[in-house]
């Protein structure tokens, strides 16, 4: 589902995603690319909107998980970003919920993915979008909410498979982030193996206040062909996850955006 200010909601059918979208304006030409990553817990807690307004409005990319398309969220997205793309994981009584990527530029490519939870039979979603940069490069952004309840890591790894195929074929910078539900040793090992195979680096947080389960962080940001200017975790009670805030800069041997 695509949300754009002043236009009706557009349902983008999977069959239409095989062709690139028309080339639009590039992401803002500044020295840094600001990114916010947050499992927003379906906006069930107070102050979620104030957190987005205070910290999301300065980001060129906001990757949300468990984003429920309430009027308040859609209004924020369309008022502050050129495009908001969502992959509904499942439909609640009133509003769909799933990953949503807000961007200060229109994507030139989109690919929605879903994987069903083997035990709960509910779906988790992921979204791959590609945006032009002022360097004439294309930035691939992967927003993922990984399957949670499964025996072993077969389904977990299966969800990463199609993402890996697209990252491997992309020649430019990559950001892969979201709620990976990496709460076991086998899951974190599978995730790190995948990141290594894709030549992705992990963003490290000097003061790591990421939300944890069984002592392991759930949310991650990985990147390729970029540098990290600064990274922080915002401690808040507005969700059961703390938002991740990162500023990227182009690598020294890359042209500036």
């Amino acid at each position: 589902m695509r949300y754009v200010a002043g236009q009706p909601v557009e349902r983008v059918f999977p069959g239409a995603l095989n062709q690139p979208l028309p080339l639009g304006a590039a992401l803002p030409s500044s020295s840094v690319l600001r990114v916010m990553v947050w499992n927003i817990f379906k906006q069930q807690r107070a102050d979620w909107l104030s957190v987005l307004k205070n910290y999301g409005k300065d980001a060129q990319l906001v990757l949300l998980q468990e984003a429920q398309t309430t009027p308040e969220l859609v209004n924020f997205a369309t008022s502050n970003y050129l495009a908001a793309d969502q992959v509904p994981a499942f439909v609640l009584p009133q509003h769909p919920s799933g990953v949503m990527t807000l961007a200060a530029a229109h994507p030139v490519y989109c690919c929605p993915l879903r994987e069903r939870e083997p035990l709960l039979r509910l779906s988790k979603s992921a979204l791959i979008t590609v945006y032009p940069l002022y360097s004439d490069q294309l930035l691939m952004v992967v927003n993922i909410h990984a399957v949670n309840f499964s025996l072993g890591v077969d389904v977990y790894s299966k969800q990463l498979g199609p993402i890996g195929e697209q990252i491997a074929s992309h020649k430019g910078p990559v950001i892969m982030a979201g709620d990976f539900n990496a709460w076991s040793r086998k899951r974190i090992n599978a995730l790190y193996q995948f990141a290594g195979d894709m030549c992705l680096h992990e963003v490290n947080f000097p003061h790591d206040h990421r939300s944890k389960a069984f002592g392991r962080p759930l949310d991650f940001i990985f990147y390729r062909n970029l540098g990290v200017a600064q990274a922080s975790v915002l401690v808040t009670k507005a969700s059961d996850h703390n938002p991740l805030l990162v500023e990227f800069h182009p690598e020294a041997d890359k042209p500036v955006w």
Side-chain angles (χ1 to χ4, degrees):
M1 306 296 292
R2 177 162 298 139
Y3 301 86
V4 177
Q7 299 182 18
V9 178
E10 180 184 3
R11 183 186 295 271
V12 181
F13 293 97
L17 296 171
N18 295 326
Q19 299 297 323
L21 301 172
L23 189 65
L27 284 172
S29 56
S30 65
S31 59
V32 295
L33 175 66
R34 296 180 179 88
V35 180
M36 180 179 187
V37 180
W38 191 20
N39 183 322
I40 202 171
F41 196 45
K42 304 183 186 70
Q43 300 101 275
Q44 294 183 62
R45 294 188 180 175
D47 297 331
W48 65 268
L49 185 55
S50 64
V51 170
L52 272 183
K53 287 181 176 179
N54 290 332
Y55 295 92
K57 62 181 177 59
D58 294 327
Q60 287 96 41
L61 289 167
V62 176
L63 281 61
L64 301 175
Q65 301 83 48
E66 293 192 24
Q68 191 174 348
T69 52
T70 59
E72 295 82 3
L73 179 58
V74 172
N75 180 67
F76 170 83
T78 56
S79 298
N80 292 277
Y81 293 90
L82 286 181
D85 290 285
Q86 186 205 37
V87 181
F90 57 92
V91 178
L92 297 171
Q94 288 184 304
H95 308 290
S97 174
V99 298
M100 176 183 281
T101 300
L102 319 180
H106 291 287
V108 297
Y109 174 80
C110 287
C111 179
L113 298 167
R114 289 191 186 92
E115 188 65 45
R116 189 176 295 276
E117 296 268 11
L119 298 181
L120 299 182
R121 309 308 296 169
L122 298 174
S123 294
K124 290 291 192 294
S125 61
L127 173 62
I128 300 172
T129 45
V130 175
Y131 304 93
L133 299 174
Y134 274 91
S135 63
D136 292 329
Q137 291 182 299
L138 293 175
L139 170 68
M140 175 173 282
V141 177
V142 181
N143 182 357
I144 181 172
H145 190 189
V147 293
N148 194 6
F149 302 102
S150 65
L151 299 175
V153 294
D154 289 347
V155 176
Y156 190 80
S157 298
K158 178 185 175 185
Q159 186 181 16
L160 295 173
I163 295 172
E165 292 175 3
Q166 301 222 19
I167 293 177
S169 64
H170 182 72
K171 303 304 180 184
V174 175
I175 297 173
M176 182 180 77
D179 177 0
F180 288 87
N181 278 314
W183 42 259
S184 72
R185 180 179 298 178
K186 289 184 177 181
R187 281 171 171 252
I188 194 67
N189 288 344
L191 177 59
Y192 282 154
Q193 179 66 52
F194 175 84
D197 292 342
M198 296 297 111
C199 300
L200 298 173
H201 304 284
E202 180 185 359
V203 172
N204 296 310
F205 299 92
H207 304 285
D208 194 349
H209 298 291
R210 287 178 293 174
S211 302
K212 295 180 173 63
F214 305 106
R216 295 180 173 86
L218 301 174
D219 307 300
F220 293 83
I221 301 178
F222 297 93
Y223 64 97
R224 187 180 77 189
N225 292 353
L226 295 167
V228 177
Q230 64 179 24
S232 61
V233 181
L234 175 65
V235 178
T236 177
K237 295 183 179 179
S239 171
D240 60 347
H241 287 246
N242 287 329
L244 313 183
L245 306 171
V246 178
E247 291 186 357
F248 290 103
H249 61 76
E251 289 187 323
D253 59 343
K254 302 292 182 181
V256 295
W257 303 334

